[in-house]
Amino acid sequence: MAGRGRGNPLALAVLALLYEKPMHPYELATTMRERRKEESIKLNYGSLYAVVQALQKRGLIEELETVREGRRPERTVYGITERGRLELFDWLGELISTPVKEYTNFEAALSLLPVLPVEDALALLRERRTKLEQELTAADALREWVGKQGVPRLYYIEWEYTVRLRRAELEWVAELIEEIAEGRLEGMDVWRSFQREFQGEFQGEAQGEGRRAEDRG
């Protein structure tokens, strides 16, 4: 089973919830939202139903019964199979024990940073710093509220992990901004030279295109 269909954390969440008890898809989604798991696992109803169907097809979950509540449409209740329980523990164990390379959008953008003019890059990094500060302020308020509700730390450690990452990112971004602003970042001369050369070529092409347009006119 290892490695098969393990690209979607939502499938792992479905297995974990059905390990607790049988549920229908609407209850799965409601439970995740009540526990604020959508902060860590991307959730929408369309993808949830697709995940449920895929798990059933693989024999990891099975239909148990169809129920109707009042005037609501019938809903199919699913339960986890023995095969599903084995997959749940194996998959979860793999994710917790083994670090993997994650390709983030920010990392990709940083690898292409010299494409931007230095001043533009600085402005964008400062904007990111502000948004990170706002996000962390909101996270602190949420954590304080959760603490007042008496929720054990065990049930929001994923938030704590995310906040720690964000704080580290904020500190690093702030340092990078200072290095660029003060010209201390190694390679700044190459960056500025590249931009001067690029801007010169761009302006030359623009002027040439303008002359050709005049000639056509």
Side-chain angles (χ1 to χ4, degrees):
M1 296 295 299
R4 286 190 57 200
R6 290 186 174 180
N8 189 350
L10 182 57
L12 182 64
V14 169
L15 290 174
L17 290 174
L18 294 182
Y19 178 72
E20 292 182 23
K21 67 172 187 175
M23 300 184 195
H24 50 69
Y26 181 78
E27 185 178 6
L28 288 168
T30 300
T31 302
M32 286 188 65
R33 293 191 189 282
E34 287 175 349
R35 298 178 184 179
R36 300 187 69 92
K37 297 305 179 186
E38 78 275 11
E39 298 286 341
S40 305
I41 300 172
K42 187 174 181 179
L43 170 66
N44 64 63
Y45 288 109
S47 59
L48 176 61
Y49 281 101
V51 162
V52 167
Q53 291 174 359
L55 291 174
Q56 183 183 12
K57 185 176 181 180
R58 292 175 56 196
L60 303 180
I61 65 175
E62 60 185 353
E63 293 185 13
L64 297 181
E65 60 178 332
T66 301
V67 298
R68 182 189 294 274
E69 299 175 2
R71 296 184 177 180
R72 294 176 179 174
E74 290 185 343
R75 289 174 174 158
T76 302
V77 176
Y78 294 88
I80 192 169
T81 63
E82 179 60 27
R83 188 179 179 187
R85 283 191 286 269
L86 292 174
E87 174 71 356
L88 168 62
F89 285 106
D90 188 54
W91 187 359
L92 191 57
E94 178 186 334
L95 290 180
I96 291 175
S97 66
T98 308
V100 297
K101 169 65 178 176
E102 298 183 20
Y103 295 88
T104 68
N105 292 334
F106 185 45
E107 182 180 350
L110 287 171
S111 73
L112 305 171
L113 191 64
V115 169
L116 295 172
V118 174
E119 291 71 21
D120 290 356
L122 265 176
L124 292 168
L125 286 167
R126 285 167 176 151
E127 182 179 348
R128 187 179 187 89
R129 179 180 60 187
T130 297
K131 291 177 179 177
L132 284 169
E133 290 169 344
Q134 294 170 344
E135 182 179 330
L136 287 169
T137 298
D140 287 340
L142 177 60
R143 181 173 180 178
E144 182 178 354
W145 179 85
V146 169
K148 289 179 180 179
Q149 308 309 306
V151 178
R153 182 182 170 204
L154 171 64
Y155 296 106
Y156 59 85
I157 54 175
E158 71 272 24
W159 301 356
E160 184 176 299
Y161 169 73
T162 300
V163 168
R164 289 290 183 93
L165 290 180
R166 283 294 196 240
R167 289 196 189 286
E169 181 183 332
L170 174 59
E171 181 180 351
W172 185 84
V173 167
E175 291 176 357
L176 180 61
I177 289 172
E178 287 186 9
E179 289 185 68
I180 295 175
E182 297 172 6
R184 293 187 289 107
L185 179 64
E186 186 177 357
M188 286 291 299
D189 52 342
V190 177
W191 187 357
R192 290 191 181 280
S193 176
F194 169 76
Q195 284 297 322
R196 285 194 297 269
E197 180 180 348
F198 175 78
Q199 288 298 329
E201 291 180 358
F202 178 78
Q203 290 174 359
E205 290 177 1
Q207 291 172 356
E209 185 64 31
R211 286 193 295 270
R212 286 192 290 272
E214 290 177 359
D215 291 342
R216 288 194 298 269

